[in-house]
Amino acid sequence: MPIPFDSLSLDAWLSHLEQLHPSAIDMGLERVARVRDALGLKPDFPVLLVGGTNGKGSVCTMLSSILCAAGYKVGTYTSPHLLHYQERVAINLVPAADAAIVASFQAIEVARADVSLTYFEFGTLAAMQQFMVAGVDVAVLEVGLGGRLDAVNVFEPFASAVVNVGLDHQAYLGDTREAIGHEKAGVYRPGKIAICADPEPPHTLIAEAQRMGANLQLIGQDFGFEKQAEGQQWTWWNKAGVHRHALPFPALRGQYQLGNAAVVLALLDAVKEVLPVAIGDIKRGLLEVELAARFQVLPGRPAVVLDVGHNPHAAKVLRANLDSMGFYPVTHAVMGMMADKDIAGVVELLADRIDVWHLAAPQLPRAAAPEQLAKLVGKLAPLAKINIYENVPLAFTAACKLAEESDRILAFGSFYTVAEVMATRER
């Protein structure tokens, strides 16, 4: 008996999508393009693609915040979500309603016929349909994995950005920055503005942009930023002689967010002819932006820091951010990571900043066993105390009990680890 798809809840739909395709990740655009065409998803509004190893979510959210402040209707698609799937699909930064997402899933199920789609591909098509139904003025799409063969790349961008290029998802993208850079450059288009904010971009990214005839703009050469000597302000500039002075620091914590904000302003400059934005809107958007779990320090004592960093590039930034917080007698860490990540690279960068490790596996099949984590931590941080737990909630609860008011607790290693900590705090 066929499944009565019109009666499924969003949770039931998501369970169905998890089982729909033989693999969770299936790189390629041919299948999703066929369903896109069957649905008639040809947006008549500008589409902005944002790729990179880290910082994509921050750029997408800052960009959307500024465009909303300017009065535009903005569709934002990001992944993964922390607590609720609806976080992935937002219109004017408000998550879509369950019923709306379900309606899109139903339409896609009919249109796809015998075409098999992954969970992410289904969600990408649903997001674009939501944006078209809502009549947005612009869509901001975060690349899920890589770029060239990622599902969002099935939509033609008005402009594209690669925030940075680091080692992650090597099983799909390659083992070197050069190989990964080529994949990420796939979001660029001939004749379109192609932004790269990596201070040392792989030569493959530059070569691919040049080969296709993209209008490549590099940070430090074609655009950039400078901190002002006094106060929490900065300046953005480009080689055309444009300067935006007295900009406030983004509300998102961390000095690295200035680099992300520079990408945002470069994208805004790319669409200025069709989506003009005033300096006041830029300032307001930077001040009001909110994004959970990007070095998010929760109120109260002990201090609790949430960070979704899960690769060495992110761990390096996290280390610097921890150092900027001031003195804490003891730092507890609740860590869970996926087995396919560079766990040793992450632990090595943070080993001398963490005193007590609380290790557990998020509830996912590809999560690393806590015993595996403990072996690496013991080798790289021999003086640290190590505790193993059956699950993340138990690890976080134990850390809260052991930490003194003057200590801090860091939860990191995966979106899924942080999500389980956040859910534990809500109970």
Side-chain angles (χ1 to χ4, degrees):
M1 179 180 295
I3 299 174
F5 291 110
D6 58 348
S7 65
L8 293 183
S9 65
L10 178 57
D11 287 342
W13 262 105
L14 295 176
S15 296
H16 169 63
L17 299 186
E18 288 173 350
Q19 308 299 322
L20 190 60
H21 196 72
S23 59
I25 299 173
D26 188 358
M27 307 293 283
L29 300 180
E30 189 271 336
R31 291 173 297 101
V32 70
R34 284 170 58 190
V35 183
R36 173 204 63 191
D37 293 343
L39 288 162
L41 296 181
K42 294 184 178 180
D44 59 359
F45 44 79
V47 173
L48 303 175
L49 297 185
V50 181
T53 302
N54 295 299
K56 302 186 297 289
S58 296
V59 169
C60 287
T61 305
M62 272 192 272
L63 181 58
S64 298
S65 179
I66 293 171
L67 288 166
C68 286
Y72 296 111
K73 194 171 190 178
V74 185
T76 312
Y77 178 56
T78 57
S79 64
H81 59 277
L82 280 169
L83 295 179
H84 308 290
Y85 183 88
Q86 302 92 314
E87 297 167 20
R88 297 183 180 220
V89 185
I91 297 174
N92 285 353
L93 297 174
V94 177
D98 287 19
I101 297 175
V102 165
S104 289
F105 285 165
Q106 291 171 350
I108 296 167
E109 183 68 25
V110 172
R112 73 178 183 86
D114 61 346
V115 178
S116 181
L117 296 174
T118 67
Y119 181 100
F120 183 77
E121 291 167 344
F122 226 99
T124 301
L125 292 170
M128 184 55 73
Q129 187 182 62
Q130 285 294 300
F131 300 155
M132 292 182 68
V133 170
V136 301
D137 299 308
V138 57
V140 178
L141 309 182
E142 178 184 353
V143 174
L145 194 159
R148 182 173 65 92
L149 299 176
D150 187 80
V152 302
N153 204 35
V154 79
F155 298 107
E156 284 301 305
F158 191 94
S160 307
V162 173
V163 183
N164 49 50
V165 181
L167 294 176
D168 202 3
H169 300 294
Q170 289 98 313
Y172 299 97
L173 304 179
D175 293 327
T176 64
R177 290 184 74 241
E178 286 69 29
I180 295 172
H182 177 267
E183 292 298 317
K184 293 192 181 299
V187 300
Y188 296 154
R189 292 294 191 277
K192 301 290 182 67
I193 290 179
I195 296 161
C196 179
D198 194 303
E200 298 180 355
H203 67 84
T204 50
L205 181 145
I206 296 174
E208 180 62 12
Q210 292 174 340
R211 182 199 65 79
M212 70 173 69
N215 181 4
L216 183 61
Q217 298 185 4
L218 299 174
I219 196 166
Q221 297 182 29
D222 303 294
F223 72 97
F225 67 96
E226 298 173 356
K227 297 179 189 176
Q228 295 180 200
E230 298 180 3
Q232 294 291 298
Q233 294 184 332
W234 61 289
T235 296
W236 181 88
W237 59 266
N238 68 14
K239 68 177 182 180
V242 176
H243 288 78
R244 296 190 180 276
H245 298 288
L247 296 170
F249 278 31
L252 304 180
R253 292 178 66 107
Q255 292 292 320
Y256 68 98
Q257 293 292 359
L258 285 183
N260 291 337
V263 178
V264 170
L265 267 68
L267 282 168
L268 291 172
D269 192 64
V271 297
K272 63 185 177 184
E273 300 300 328
V274 292
L275 298 170
V277 174
I279 187 66
D281 301 323
I282 293 173
K283 293 180 177 181
R284 179 182 166 196
L286 290 174
L287 287 170
E288 294 182 352
V289 64
E290 295 180 0
L291 185 61
R294 274 65 167 187
F295 197 68
Q296 179 183 6
V297 182
L298 303 180
R301 292 187 178 183
V304 175
V305 180
L306 306 179
D307 195 280
V308 295
H310 54 266
N311 53 50
H313 184 279
K316 185 177 180 180
V317 173
L318 175 56
R319 176 190 175 97
N321 285 334
L322 290 173
D323 289 347
S324 72
M325 289 182 68
F327 175 73
Y328 291 85
V330 178
T331 296
H332 294 256
V334 177
M335 184 181 81
M337 293 188 66
M338 299 299 106
D340 58 351
K341 300 299 180 182
D342 183 0
I343 301 171
V346 170
V347 172
E348 185 174 16
L349 282 163
L350 295 168
D352 61 350
R353 294 298 188 271
I354 295 169
D355 304 292
V356 185
W357 296 75
H358 304 270
L359 307 175
Q363 295 180 11
L364 280 174
R366 59 190 188 92
E371 292 79 10
Q372 176 188 353
L373 300 178
K375 184 176 180 179
L376 281 169
V377 172
K379 179 180 178 181
L380 296 170
L383 300 180
K385 297 180 181 178
I386 302 172
N387 302 305
I388 292 175
Y389 304 87
E390 292 183 9
N391 54 55
V392 172
L394 286 176
F396 180 65
T397 300
C400 291
K401 289 180 179 178
L402 291 172
E404 301 290 340
E405 282 194 357
S406 56
D407 296 338
R408 67 181 168 189
I409 301 170
L410 167 66
F412 79 106
S414 167
F415 274 86
Y416 305 100
T417 301
V418 174
E420 291 183 25
V421 167
M422 292 173 70
T424 303
R425 280 180 57 88
E426 287 188 354
R427 292 174 190 155

